[in-house]
């Protein structure tokens, strides 16, 4: 494991690390913000951010303004890349399949199955690595944007007890029902649609054993709202299942990091409260 | 003039505009943040940000987290590109000369003199354009980073009464005495070093008629500190001239936007107070 970037930031430090992932069979990078308390060795909760299509570990750490909030609440924030990477990893020319589009699942189909195990990476390998090497206290929250909002919801719903808090910006809530999701699920999991349901938040919430409250922010001027995101499907599923959901629709806001930055403070407050750091 | 980007942000709107500049003889882009009050037509002060070497109008608006502060204080923030641009504009293969490296001066030497008039652009043409087209109340502040910190200091010092407030992050305070500055001044102004002094903050502060207080933040782990920035020269010049300077040195901080973001709130408070919006 090698540290390849470090920058003082809001009294703490933003770092980027490179390591070899066993789950993914390739080199991976992740960003990690260490608040001042963590630099002193005090153990802190960890909040995991999952980015959207085409992103790397850089987008969130450079564009969201997250460090100010992480410093204020004393939270470590980890932002992994969105897929396996490298010359030996299968790819596709489209932006919404292959490298940059891992969809936070474990693929079962050729040529993807060998490397595309992002669910194992974000739910297991990465938290274990972080808790071994940094001043983490074992409390975990997870959030993300778009494909990463899907990733956060699905990862939390699939692993009851592993996460204390979850939230999402502009998530793909029902990949089995929208073009981005259907393309990815068909490629990574094959044509048997029954297998897709294990990676769909709207499906998972209906059978959820744990009632982790969901916080979702969505811009109403988001160009992908009607085609790919469809938060009304999550609202209906949560209502039917009696699952707590705070869904906020924001007039005028789009799909960009300008939207994320505008409401990120509320998400940090949501997670900090659950993680015991408010 | 054409709006090419717009994003809702912190209750206001981040926009990017393209227009033809008479001073520069080319198309230029600038970012402008309009707080909610300005969108309602209420006239607001304008804070101008000048970026550093290699930057465009995008760096500050995507990486600094400025919109949160601008919204809180009710300030319009304008971020122009750092030089003239385009196929018809002279350039150089180096990152520190030509396009991306305008140095906020008016060039006198071939081939630069026809287009490289960034001082006229940022001190005159751009404020006039902003005050004609947006809800500006005529109060102006200026700040910037690195080459843009030099630009902010020099532009304020050269135009007494035009700016109510000025500040800088990691500025080139004495371009006549450091390699980045000497290279640019020789190319744009020629070998007569007497002409260089009109573009050097350390020189200008010694003869300043107006005592605009200077706020300067500098990271002590900045890789360019000893070679190109040398804030101690500004400290000595201000002490000798009796010019008010608040120079803050921050252990561990580098030259990046992580540094800028960490202390940007203090700069907004400094400007808002002078601009009557604290």
């Amino acid at each position: 494991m090698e540290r390849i970037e470090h920058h003082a930031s809001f009294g703490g430090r933003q770092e980027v690390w490179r390591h070899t992932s066993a789950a993914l069979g390739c080199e991976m990078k992740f960003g990690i913000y260490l608040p001042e308390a963590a630099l002193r060795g005090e153990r802190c909760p960890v909040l995991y951010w999952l980015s959207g299509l085409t992103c790397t570990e850089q987008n969130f750490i450079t564009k969201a303004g997250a460090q100010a909030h992480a410093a204020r609440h004393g939270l470590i924030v980890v932002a992994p890349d969105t897929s396996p990477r490298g010359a030996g990893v299968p790819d596709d020319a489209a932006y919404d399949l292959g490298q940059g589009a891992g969809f936070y699942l474990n693929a079962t189909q050729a040529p993807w199955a060998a490397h595309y195990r992002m669910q194992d990476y974000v739910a297991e390998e990465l938290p274990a690595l972080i808790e071994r090497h940094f001043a983490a206290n074992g409390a975990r929250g997870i959030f993300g944007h778009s494909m990463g909002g899907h990733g956060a919801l699905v990862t939390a719903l699939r692993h009851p007890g592993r996460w204390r808090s979850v939230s999402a910006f502009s998530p793909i809530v029902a990949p089995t029902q929208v073009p981005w999701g259907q393309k990815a699920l068909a490629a990574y999991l094959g044509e048997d649609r029954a297998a897709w349901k294990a990676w769909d938040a709207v499906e998972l919430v209906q059978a959820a054993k744990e009632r982790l409250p969901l916080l979702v922010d969505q811009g109403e001027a988001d160009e992908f709202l009607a085609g790919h995101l469809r938060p009304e499907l999550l609202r209906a599923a949560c209502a039917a299942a009696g699952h707590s959901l705070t869904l906020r629709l924001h007039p005028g806001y789009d799909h960009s990091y300008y939207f994320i930055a505008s409401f990120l403070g509320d998400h940090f407050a949501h997670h900090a409260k659950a993680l015991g750091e408010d």
Side-chain angles (χ1 to χ4, degrees), chain A residues 36-202:
Chain A
E36 193 269 340
L39 294 182
R40 279 189 281 107
E42 194 178 304
R43 297 197 172 269
C44 300
V46 183
L47 191 46
Y48 291 83
W49 171 268
L50 305 183
S51 283
L53 287 167
T54 77
C55 290
T56 70
E57 85 291 345
Q58 288 291 324
N59 301 66
F60 182 70
I61 69 176
T62 58
K63 292 184 168 183
Q67 294 84 3
H69 305 297
R72 187 176 311 123
H73 291 290
L75 297 175
I76 295 172
V77 182
V78 173
D81 200 349
T82 52
S83 75
R85 298 276 183 185
V89 173
D91 198 6
D92 188 280
Y95 75 97
D96 56 359
L97 192 67
Q99 295 188 32
F103 269 85
Y104 304 103
L105 51 70
N106 293 329
T108 58
Q109 304 298 301
W112 312 106
H115 293 281
Y116 283 75
R117 302 191 63 82
M118 283 298 291
Q119 179 66 196
D120 285 351
Y121 182 67
V122 300
E124 294 171 20
E125 184 180 12
L126 185 61
L129 185 83
I130 297 300
E131 288 165 26
R132 197 159 62 240
H133 290 284
F134 299 94
N137 73 3
R140 304 180 201 103
I142 190 165
F143 64 159
H145 173 238
S146 196
M147 175 183 76
H150 144 76
L153 295 173
V154 161
T155 302
L157 288 162
R158 288 173 60 94
H159 298 280
R162 194 170 302 181
W163 312 89
R164 289 209 198 154
S165 54
V166 59
S167 73
F169 291 87
S170 331
I172 303 169
V173 301
T176 62
Q177 300 186 52
V178 303
W180 272 344
Q182 290 168 339
K183 177 179 177 178
L185 297 173
Y188 296 138
L189 303 176
E191 292 300 337
D192 174 13
R193 291 186 172 225
W196 296 9
K197 294 186 178 181
W199 304 101
D200 181 302
V202 161

Side-chain angles (χ1 to χ4, degrees), chain A residues 232-246:
Chain A
E232 73 281 2
L233 297 175
L234 184 64
R235 179 188 275 145
C238 285
H243 200 113
S244 168
L245 167 69
T246 302

